[in-house]
Amino acid sequence: MDNSKYSFQQDYDVWLQWNVTSVCNLQCEYCFSPAHRNKLVPFLINIKELLSTLKKSEKTFRIGFTGGEPFLVPNFIEACKEITKCHFISVNTNLILNKISEFVNEIDPARVLFIHASLHYEELIKKNLLEKFHKNYQLLKEAGFNIYAEGVAYPGLANMIGEIKHFVESNKIKFEFASFYGKYNNKDYPESYTDEEVNKFNLDEHELKKYNQDNRICNAGCNAAVVFANGNVKSCFQIKDDLGNIYNEIKFKSDTIICSFKKCGCPLNEYDQNLLNKSKS
C-alpha cells in the first residue's frame, strides 16, 4: 500500500467526506449501492449556503467529493471552483465524463489534494470506455493534478488481473488494487482472501487490515466527518450522530473517540493521517 498518497502537505483544519450523490453512470457488480444506479441526479449543490457555512466555521476545509459519481452533479465544477478559492478538495471519480476537460480548465491543481480515479476495468470494457478513462487520466496528469488510479480487488476479477496490469503499465498509469469490502460467494472480505488472491492482487498486510477498528482511536466527528447528499453531517457512515448540516452549521466535537465497531467500511482514521495525528495532539 502506498501510504504517501494519504499524506498531504497543504494546511487545513478539518475534512468532510461528502457523498454528494449516490447516482452513478456505471453498473459494477461489486457496487455497495446498486439501487441508485442510472437515476437522474436530483439536486444542485447550494453553493451560496455552503460557502456561508464554511466561512462561519472559521476553519480551512478539505472537502472530499465521492459518490456515486460527483461529476454527474450539474454544478459540481462551479462548486469546486468556489470552494477552492479558500479551501481544498479531493475527488473520487470513475473518470469517464466529458466534464473532466472543463475541470482541468477551471480548477487550480494546487488546491486539489488528489484525484482518485476508480478503474472499473470490466465495466469500462463492456461500455467501450477504456480509452476515455486513459485520455482523461493523461489530461489531468499533464495539467499537474495529483492523480492515481485504484481498482477493486474483487475476487471475481482474478482472471483479468494480467490484462488490467498490462493496460495500466502500457499507459503509465499509477495504479494499485484496493481490497474488496463486502461479500463474495457468501464469504466476508477482505478476511477471506486466499494467499493466491493476495499475491495476484499484490495486497499487503496493512491494506487487508485497514478496515479493522476494534478499540482504535478515531477522529470521526472531531476534525473529520461525513456528509450525506442532503447536506446532513455525521461523525461517520456508521456513527450517525447529528453534527449539523453543510448548508447551515457544523458542530465538530472536541475529542477523539474509541471506535466501538469491529470493522468500518470507510475508516476516516486511515485516509488522512495528518488530521488523525492533529486530533490526538
Side-chain angles (χ1 to χ4, degrees):
M1 178 180 176
D2 181 7
N3 288 308
S4 64
K5 69 190 177 191
Y6 302 131
S7 300
F8 317 117
Q9 300 305 312
Q10 289 87 343
D11 188 17
Y12 52 91
D13 305 306
V14 291
W15 165 35
L16 295 176
Q17 185 71 352
W18 192 354
N19 189 354
V20 70
T21 178
S22 294
V23 183
C24 189
N25 49 338
L26 296 180
Q27 297 179 336
C28 302
E29 182 180 353
Y30 43 78
C31 180
F32 57 82
S33 184
H36 299 285
R37 295 170 181 160
N38 295 328
K39 292 184 179 180
L40 295 177
V41 176
F43 72 100
L44 298 173
I45 295 172
N46 188 330
I47 298 174
K48 181 179 179 180
E49 294 300 325
L50 168 62
L51 295 178
S52 175
T53 302
L54 300 183
K55 185 176 181 179
K56 282 190 299 184
S57 75
E58 298 183 343
K59 298 178 184 294
T60 301
F61 282 77
R62 163 195 168 187
I63 297 184
F65 288 103
T66 187
E69 174 49 52
F71 280 96
L72 288 174
V73 177
N75 67 339
F76 175 66
I77 295 176
E78 181 185 355
C80 289
K81 186 175 181 179
E82 294 302 316
I83 292 167
T84 54
K85 288 179 180 178
C86 298
H87 307 278
F88 300 93
I89 63 171
S90 58
V91 184
N92 294 0
T93 172
N94 59 38
L95 213 66
I96 57 174
L97 293 174
N98 292 328
K99 286 185 177 181
I100 299 296
S101 58
E102 181 185 351
F103 184 87
V104 167
N105 292 330
E106 295 290 337
I107 308 301
D108 179 3
R111 308 300 294 188
V112 181
L113 298 173
F114 63 83
I115 305 290
H116 173 284
S118 298
L119 176 56
H120 302 295
Y121 186 83
E122 185 177 34
E123 187 70 5
L124 297 188
I125 289 290
K126 290 178 182 177
K127 296 181 179 294
N128 196 29
L129 289 169
L130 202 57
E131 181 55 34
K132 173 71 74 173
F133 180 95
H134 172 226
K135 178 182 177 182
N136 283 333
Y137 184 97
Q138 295 302 328
L139 185 65
L140 287 158
K141 181 180 177 180
E142 291 170 5
F145 289 89
N146 176 26
I147 183 169
Y148 65 92
E150 275 191 344
V152 177
Y154 186 57
L157 297 178
N159 63 341
M160 302 185 74
I161 294 174
E163 188 177 334
I164 295 170
K165 288 183 176 180
H166 174 74
F167 169 73
V168 296
E169 289 170 4
S170 61
N171 289 296
K172 298 181 180 179
I173 293 172
K174 184 181 180 181
F175 174 83
E176 65 182 23
F177 283 105
S179 55
F180 169 61
Y181 180 88
K183 283 188 176 291
Y184 177 76
N185 285 347
N186 295 317
K187 295 179 180 180
D188 292 319
Y189 283 80
E191 53 265 47
S192 294
Y193 280 115
T194 64
D195 290 341
E196 181 181 8
E197 288 170 334
V198 168
N199 291 331
K200 281 187 174 181
F201 286 112
N202 195 30
L203 302 173
D204 63 26
E205 184 176 357
H206 184 272
E207 175 64 26
L208 293 170
K209 292 183 177 180
K210 70 181 180 182
Y211 300 113
N212 298 342
Q213 291 297 304
D214 264 348
N215 298 319
R216 287 177 59 193
I217 293 176
C218 187
N219 53 325
C222 177
N223 59 4
V226 302
V227 187
F228 290 81
N230 61 5
N232 287 338
V233 182
K234 310 291 183 180
S235 287
C236 76
F237 290 114
Q238 292 184 196
I239 304 173
K240 297 181 180 179
D241 49 351
D242 184 16
L243 300 183
N245 189 282
I246 203 166
Y247 298 130
N248 186 2
E249 183 181 19
I250 305 171
K251 296 180 179 179
F252 290 97
K253 299 177 181 179
S254 57
D255 297 315
T256 57
I257 61 171
I258 301 297
C259 185
S260 60
F261 291 91
K262 183 178 180 180
K263 290 174 63 177
C264 176
C266 192
L268 298 182
N269 55 359
E270 277 289 325
Y271 296 119
D272 198 316
Q273 192 65 44
N274 289 340
L275 282 185
L276 177 62
N277 293 338
K278 283 183 180 180
S279 71
K280 295 188 292 186
S281 61

